[in-house]
Amino acid sequence: MVDSALTGTARRPRRGESAAARISRALRRIVSSSTAREVAELTRTAEQIQQPVTTGRQIAITSIRGGAGKTTVAALLGTAYAHYRHDPVLLVEADPALGSLPLRLGAESLRWTTADLADIVEPQMSLLDVTGYLVQLPDNAWLLPGSQGRIGAMLDTTAYERVMVALRRYFGVTVVDCETLPAEVARVALSAAQARVLAAPATLDGITSTYAVLQWMQGLPRHMIAGTVVALTSTASRPGIDVEAAAEKLRSTGAAVHVLPHDRHLAAGGELRTELLARPTRLAAARLAAEVFQLSQKRR
């Protein structure tokens, strides 16, 4: 999937937080009662994510502009669902313009794309037939890429709808990494999904543009804003804004907001390796996955 010459430019993956920060956190947990609380919270989170579904839940992730962490959020959510759930999980890249979801998920090679599968999938196919066209990932997860590592034809809404309707019955949860707004496929995906995630950087311009989009969504049917979660990603260890105050402002529109802390491993790009994530990042990602899934359960 990645040219070997380019692969050689990557440095060794870093842990999400420094050794000093990990040691300090471990010491604080030893002398406090936070460990028991964390275990209880993770247990509740796992139970929420593991709830059965009658029909496949589709969760769309988009953003206002590139570089907002959209694909990173999609990879985190898909990885969390695949880890906690027992039914198959699908990650769809609905962005054919050289999206980076396969790279984030560590896919070594690609064949069929979302547009290709639209012309192939048929109602009588079994799960085994369908997965033959997908990229297998760990933990019973599958990937349907948007391109083959090169710029291709744009994905039209008809092809997207055909694929999503056909695949819904095979997978308990489908996470869709959409194009940035206001692209047409992204708008269709947001409307058709049972829950939506709007990725935004924790910067002044990121907050401003995201707030404008949420205000626009307030004029749409009520389920749109009620089923939307903002994933506010800290792009630096010391953001230039008051992140909690910004989150409260965004919540005033009726959308839920989750803050993903700065993580050195995520910031470096490349393949997502959950064992290298900082503990606060893993906990925040699990909370985000649980709330988004709960929202998706409220809409049929």
Side-chain angles (χ1 to χ4, degrees):
M1 218 281 290
V2 181
D3 188 285
S4 58
L6 295 176
T7 305
T9 65
R11 294 179 176 175
R12 184 178 178 180
R14 304 175 72 191
R15 286 187 173 274
E17 57 185 352
S18 66
R22 295 197 304 274
I23 293 172
S24 175
R25 188 182 307 283
L27 290 174
R28 289 198 303 270
R29 293 175 67 214
I30 290 173
V31 300
S32 70
S33 60
S34 61
T35 301
R37 290 197 301 271
E38 281 187 8
V39 171
E41 181 184 0
L42 277 175
T43 301
R44 289 194 301 271
T45 299
E47 290 174 348
Q48 291 173 337
I49 296 176
Q50 291 168 351
Q51 289 179 6
V53 295
T54 53
T55 56
R57 304 289 87 188
Q58 295 181 356
I59 297 166
I61 294 89
T62 189
S63 62
I64 309 304
R65 59 171 67 89
K70 169 179 65 70
T71 298
T72 297
V73 171
L76 284 171
L77 289 180
T79 301
Y81 294 133
H83 175 73
Y84 286 108
R85 296 188 63 81
H86 302 295
D87 48 9
V89 172
L90 176 64
L91 291 98
V92 175
E93 186 178 48
D95 185 355
L98 290 179
S100 57
L101 186 59
L103 177 63
R104 268 308 206 191
L105 295 172
E108 296 182 358
S109 61
L110 307 175
R111 288 202 311 162
W112 306 95
T113 68
T114 307
D116 295 330
L117 200 57
D119 298 324
I120 297 172
V121 66
E122 296 179 357
Q124 68 270 22
M125 282 183 169
S126 66
L127 175 62
L128 185 61
D129 294 329
V130 169
T131 54
Y133 296 100
L134 306 176
V135 178
Q136 187 168 10
L137 302 170
D139 292 326
N140 205 26
W142 304 86
L143 166 67
L144 179 58
S147 71
Q148 295 172 324
R150 56 182 180 272
I151 297 176
M154 296 302 293
L155 177 67
D156 61 70
T157 57
T158 302
Y160 173 80
E161 290 174 332
R162 188 184 308 135
V163 167
M164 298 307 291
V165 169
L167 296 183
R168 183 174 177 177
R169 66 188 180 93
Y170 300 103
F171 300 92
V173 179
T174 298
V175 176
V176 186
D177 182 13
C178 301
E179 297 172 290
T180 55
L181 290 170
E184 187 176 7
V185 171
R187 295 200 304 271
V188 170
L190 290 177
S191 177
Q194 282 79 42
R196 291 150 291 282
V197 179
L198 189 60
T203 60
L204 183 58
D205 59 334
I207 295 297
T208 302
S209 56
T210 301
Y211 184 67
V213 170
L214 293 175
Q215 287 183 308
W216 165 73
M217 292 180 70
Q218 287 179 313
L220 302 176
R222 174 62 187 166
H223 73 267
M224 289 293 290
I225 193 75
T228 297
V229 180
V230 176
L232 196 55
T233 304
S234 296
T235 56
S237 56
R238 297 185 63 183
I241 63 170
D242 184 333
V243 177
E244 289 304 322
E248 283 303 314
K249 180 64 174 178
L250 296 178
R251 290 188 186 104
S252 69
T253 63
V257 180
H258 279 257
V259 177
L260 293 175
H262 176 68
D263 188 288
R264 299 190 310 178
H265 177 59
L266 291 180
E271 181 182 354
L272 171 64
R273 293 174 53 181
T274 54
E275 73 274 12
L276 296 181
L277 292 174
R279 185 173 183 80
T281 305
R282 291 199 299 270
L283 294 174
R287 294 187 199 104
L288 172 63
E291 174 149 11
V292 174
F293 182 74
Q294 290 296 300
L295 290 177
S296 75
Q297 289 281 63
K298 295 179 179 179
R299 187 180 176 214
R300 300 302 173 187

